[in-house]
Amino acid sequence: MCIFADNTKFLKICTLNKLVKILLSLFVLLSVIACARIGKPPGGPIDEDPPVIVKSKPVNYATNYKRKTVFVGFDEFIKLEDAFTEFTISPPLEETPLPRTKGKGIVVDLHYADLDSFTYTLDFGESIVDNNESNPLLDFQFVVSILPHIDSFSISGRIIDAFTHQPDEEGMFVHLYSNLSDTMPLTTKPSYLARTNSEGNYRINHVAPGTYSIFVLKDANANMIFDMPSEIIGFANEWVHLYPDSFPVEPDSVNSILMNGEMEQTDTSSIEDSENLMADTDSVATDSIEFMTYGYYIDLFSFTEAAPYQQYLVEYDRVNPEKLQFIFNDTNSNPPGIRLLDTIVEEDNWYLLEANARLDTLVYWIPDSSLLMRDSITVELTYPETDTTGNLITTVDTLLLTAKIEKETTGSRGKSDGKERKGFKLPFGSKEEVTDTLPPPPPRVSFKNNINSSAHDLYRPVIFTPAVPVFTFDQSKINLVRMEDTLEFPAAFTLKTDSAKFRQLRLDVDFEPNTQYILNLYEGAFTDIYGRTIDSIAFKFTTQKDDHYGIVSMKLSNITSPVILQLLDPNEKVLKQKQLFGDGMVEFDFLNPGTYLLKLIFDDNANGIWDTGDYERKLQPERVSYYPSELDVRSNWTLEYDWVVE
């Protein structure tokens, strides 16, 4: 209690002291509450642990299993990712059930499955992840047996592509068939199966004794049957015999599957209909299950079969007034026959043929100006075609090819005159050339080249590729000089057409290293089939230094059949290749510094290409081998290797 002579003056002080005491008491109380609060500090490490199994019904590796529901419980909430592709049951059922989440667990309903006398392996792959961080539980398998024992054989290995030796990262299926008929993969689901992981590894566990055939399938339509020619496959030529006396030695070890004691406990608080789900008096629960495991290991190669030979015309078009184009789906042994209809021209002179090596893409250039003026051309095309029975027949088609229409909507001064002109521009010199108020400059030959102005490769010729075939070239209107300081010295060269590529011109030069050159092309150097020539143009470039390149020298031994040795870049693009028929030295020179690969193709039929396999004929793909290490090529170095081919 405050007593003051001047009540007015000191009443305010007394009230203020009380307020301070109240605020101080509140501060102390809040501090005590804050100190007493228990909580998780902010931040902390990210959860990187996969879900942990704490219970299951029945226990994993249960025998005499009669019910048709499996439950697996975890220490946290989980979710399923890509279960349709990741989850498998082996042996496969007529209708594969999908796992579903329930509480902190997974349920697999087998109610509609007709379980036979087998050990069943439920493989979840990488589908089980925790709910928060999506940490996967890798390669988890749950095993139950209808029998009083667990089948104890397994087959494992690796599947890689026969040509690239790379695994299929999306995964493939490995099938076992107890029926040894060759038609089984084409008509019937397998007896057992497993899915490869991203590294191509597979393992089929708990296989019953027996003799099996092995088949690999990239199942495009998810029916477990090889019924699409485009599906990737693989197979073993020999059957696999899985019997204890088939193995030359005793099994390597006795596998002991230790069951976590917590897994035998059943917590049904989070499971609906728990009494029905967990009531399973026939399952066996034990702390340790021991059985003998016999493992068989086999690697296989995957491939896509060559498509059945079919020949037909895919596309035809008059790309522009100057050329007709025909595209076939497959290689032709000879160019198709072509004949003009409704047009009178000299049959032997109305076209120039440009075709690729496979003769599946053919371009007919039209040099005749009277044909160019026609907006449509009718031709009769005669070519081989595959009929419905797979036999080649001769087809004669009458085809109408219409030129692309080029619309012009501007007048001579670039302003619209309100009129729409339709037609196409004729090559310079044609009788009915389209002109404007002011005559346009004469059209010129356009072309591409491969000149590297700063470091042109010493071994590489200069290549010119005109947009239209060249009718003539005049070497006297081409000048090449080598520069030394400010002095020019004539450099010898030869110009010729490239026999492999219809429109290319090849300028061969014996280049000197690290030297500047000037290449002059004068008007008239090239003249195309329409009489057009080029504008004068000069190219200045410097050649590469001779010590820039490296060399790979490879001695191959133990070559017993024809082989193709390929030099590849890191992306497996073929840079150079050579064919060998026995042991010998191979040298790849003028290599830019960098990393290279060497691939060896065992060309059994000596046709110069790699051939794929064929299941019906039981032909494996031609074998491929890679040199064990990459080749690190350096400037001015020669790398020498010995390769004893196995």
Side-chain angles (χ1 to χ4, degrees):
M1 182 178 180
C2 297
I3 301 174
F4 298 100
D6 189 347
N7 291 332
T8 302
K9 178 179 181 181
F10 292 100
L11 182 59
K12 294 180 180 180
I13 297 176
C14 180
T15 303
L16 182 61
N17 288 338
K18 286 184 177 181
L19 181 60
V20 170
K21 289 180 180 179
I22 292 171
L23 291 175
L24 183 60
S25 299
L26 287 173
F27 176 79
V28 172
L29 179 61
L30 291 173
S31 298
V32 171
I33 293 173
C35 292
R37 182 180 298 145
I38 299 176
K40 183 178 180 180
I46 298 176
D47 178 18
E48 298 180 351
D49 297 325
V52 176
I53 301 170
V54 296
K55 54 182 172 286
S56 70
K57 191 65 176 181
V59 294
N60 203 353
Y61 292 90
T63 56
N64 292 317
Y65 179 64
K66 303 302 182 185
R67 301 195 60 82
K68 295 187 178 181
T69 301
V70 169
F71 170 78
V72 181
F74 298 89
D75 64 339
E76 58 182 318
F77 287 100
I78 56 94
K79 56 186 177 182
L80 293 166
E81 293 185 348
D82 299 324
F84 182 78
T85 56
E86 290 286 336
F87 178 74
T88 59
I89 295 181
S90 179
L93 303 174
E94 188 62 32
E95 182 177 345
T96 302
L98 283 179
R100 56 186 173 86
T101 58
K102 180 170 285 191
K104 291 185 179 180
I106 290 176
V107 175
V108 181
D109 293 315
L110 307 176
H111 294 305
Y112 303 103
D114 184 18
L115 300 183
D116 210 334
S117 299
F118 293 105
T119 300
Y120 288 88
T121 302
L122 284 62
D123 192 332
F124 292 85
E126 300 180 5
S127 63
I128 301 174
V129 300
D130 63 30
N131 197 52
N132 294 324
E133 304 295 338
S134 295
N135 298 310
L137 176 63
L138 299 178
D139 302 324
F140 171 58
Q141 293 185 345
F142 196 91
V143 180
V144 293
S145 179
I146 307 302
L147 306 169
H149 64 272
I150 301 291
D151 289 322
S152 56
F153 290 96
S154 70
I155 296 179
S156 60
R158 190 166 186 251
I159 311 298
I160 56 176
D161 183 89
F163 187 68
T164 66
H165 284 199
Q166 295 300 311
D168 190 308
E169 294 184 356
E170 296 179 353
M172 303 180 67
F173 287 97
V174 184
H175 294 178
L176 295 186
Y177 295 90
S178 57
N179 186 323
L180 303 178
S181 169
D182 291 340
T183 63
M184 294 305 291
L186 312 177
T187 59
T188 309
K189 291 184 178 182
S191 305
Y192 294 90
L193 83 163
R195 189 170 181 268
T196 63
N197 61 18
S198 59
E199 298 297 322
N201 298 312
Y202 74 93
R203 185 180 183 90
I204 305 177
N205 287 323
H206 312 297
V207 179
T211 299
Y212 299 91
S213 62
I214 305 179
F215 190 81
V216 178
L217 178 64
K218 177 81 171 186
D219 197 0
N221 53 3
N223 65 351
M224 303 187 202
I225 294 173
F226 175 40
D227 57 357
M228 299 179 66
S230 60
E231 289 178 324
I232 302 173
I233 64 169
F235 61 93
N237 288 101
E238 304 294 333
W239 296 334
V240 176
H241 303 281
L242 297 182
Y243 300 97
D245 56 3
S246 301
F247 291 80
V249 296
E250 291 297 320
D252 292 337
S253 62
V254 176
N255 285 342
S256 177
I257 290 78
L258 299 177
M259 312 302 293
N260 189 322
E262 294 180 344
M263 292 176 61
E264 299 177 54
Q265 301 173 7
T266 300
D267 179 5
T268 61
S269 59
S270 63
I271 307 174
E272 299 174 6
D273 300 326
S274 59
E275 293 183 0
N276 293 332
L277 180 63
M278 308 306 291
D280 188 347
T281 58
D282 295 328
S283 64
V284 173
T286 174
D287 290 337
S288 177
I289 299 176
E290 294 187 356
F291 53 87
M292 306 294 282
T293 298
Y294 295 83
Y296 187 95
Y297 192 93
I298 181 170
D299 292 334
L300 296 169
F301 293 108
S302 62
F303 60 91
T304 303
E305 290 185 329
Y309 182 76
Q310 289 186 324
Q311 184 65 45
Y312 54 89
L313 181 63
V314 175
E315 179 184 340
Y316 62 92
D317 192 12
R318 190 174 180 184
V319 180
N320 58 48
E322 301 168 353
K323 61 181 180 180
L324 315 178
Q325 179 172 277
F326 301 89
I327 299 176
F328 291 84
N329 72 303
D330 211 332
T331 305
N332 281 298
S333 56
N334 294 294
I338 188 169
R339 186 169 68 90
L340 281 172
L341 301 178
D342 302 328
T343 305
I344 300 175
V345 296
E346 295 184 26
E347 287 289 328
D348 295 336
N349 299 322
W350 75 269
Y351 70 83
L352 294 173
L353 175 60
E354 177 181 0
N356 62 357
R358 291 167 48 89
L359 295 180
D360 59 3
T361 301
L362 305 105
V363 174
Y364 294 83
W365 292 91
I366 304 174
D368 190 294
S369 59
S370 64
L371 284 179
L372 291 175
M373 290 186 293
R374 298 177 65 92
D375 58 1
S376 62
I377 294 176
T378 304
V379 300
E380 181 183 84
L381 196 71
T382 304
Y383 59 93
E385 185 176 37
T386 308
D387 64 11
T388 55
T389 64
N391 296 317
L392 278 178
I393 59 174
T394 299
T395 297
V396 179
D397 271 344
T398 299
L399 306 174
L400 177 66
L401 298 106
T402 303
K404 304 297 183 184
I405 301 299
E406 182 179 313
K407 296 181 180 180
E408 297 181 4
T409 58
T410 58
S412 60
R413 299 182 182 273
K415 296 181 180 180
S416 174
D417 57 7
K419 298 179 180 180
E420 182 181 272
R421 302 189 179 104
K422 294 184 179 181
F424 52 82
K425 295 179 180 178
L426 298 176
F428 178 65
S430 298
K431 295 180 180 179
E432 298 185 18
E433 182 182 356
V434 177
T435 61
D436 213 316
T437 305
L438 297 176
R444 297 296 192 179
V445 174
S446 62
F447 61 90
K448 297 179 180 179
N449 67 82
N450 69 334
I451 295 174
N452 183 343
S453 60
S454 61
H456 189 81
D457 279 328
L458 290 173
Y459 65 92
R460 192 180 299 277
V462 175
I463 301 294
F464 301 108
T465 307
V468 174
V470 167
F471 181 66
T472 62
F473 58 85
D474 188 346
Q475 191 162 315
S476 68
K477 295 182 179 180
I478 301 174
N479 175 249
L480 179 68
V481 295
R482 173 175 51 84
M483 302 296 297
E484 291 186 10
D485 296 327
T486 58
L487 300 178
E488 297 182 359
F489 297 89
F493 66 90
T494 57
L495 181 66
K496 57 186 178 182
T497 57
D498 192 322
S499 59
K501 297 186 178 179
F502 179 73
R503 279 181 290 124
Q504 283 193 357
L505 296 173
R506 175 184 177 122
L507 188 78
D508 287 315
V509 184
D510 188 11
F511 286 117
E512 294 188 16
N514 195 28
T515 301
Q516 187 180 80
Y517 288 83
I518 299 177
L519 175 63
N520 294 288
L521 303 180
Y522 302 111
E523 185 175 350
F526 307 149
T527 303
D528 72 9
I529 58 177
Y530 303 114
R532 300 176 297 195
T533 185
I534 65 169
D535 287 320
S536 296
I537 188 172
F539 300 95
K540 183 181 291 185
F541 60 96
T542 302
T543 54
Q544 186 60 266
K545 299 176 181 179
D546 56 354
D547 60 359
H548 166 77
Y549 302 100
I551 298 173
V552 170
S553 180
M554 178 68 66
K555 180 183 178 182
L556 291 99
S557 56
N558 201 30
I559 301 293
T560 59
S561 64
V563 296
I564 302 169
L565 183 64
Q566 294 181 334
L567 182 75
L568 314 173
D569 69 8
N571 295 320
E572 300 239 355
K573 178 183 177 181
V574 178
L575 304 176
K576 300 181 180 183
Q577 72 175 33
K578 297 186 179 181
Q579 193 168 14
L580 294 87
F581 296 90
D583 296 350
M585 293 288 300
V586 176
E587 185 172 276
F588 295 111
D589 54 6
F590 290 108
L591 299 180
N592 290 312
T595 301
Y596 297 85
L597 306 173
L598 276 179
K599 173 188 279 188
L600 197 64
I601 299 173
F602 293 82
D603 188 18
D604 297 331
N605 56 5
N607 65 348
I609 60 173
W610 177 79
D611 293 296
T612 188
D614 187 299
Y615 177 69
E616 183 179 355
R617 296 190 294 160
K618 295 298 179 288
L619 288 178
Q620 293 289 347
E622 286 184 330
R623 191 159 64 93
V624 168
S625 181
Y626 283 82
Y627 188 72
S629 61
E630 295 180 338
L631 311 182
D632 185 15
V633 174
R634 303 179 185 180
S635 294
N636 204 28
W637 276 63
T638 298
L639 302 179
E640 297 181 349
Y641 297 93
D642 289 334
W643 190 356
V644 180
V645 178
E646 298 179 354

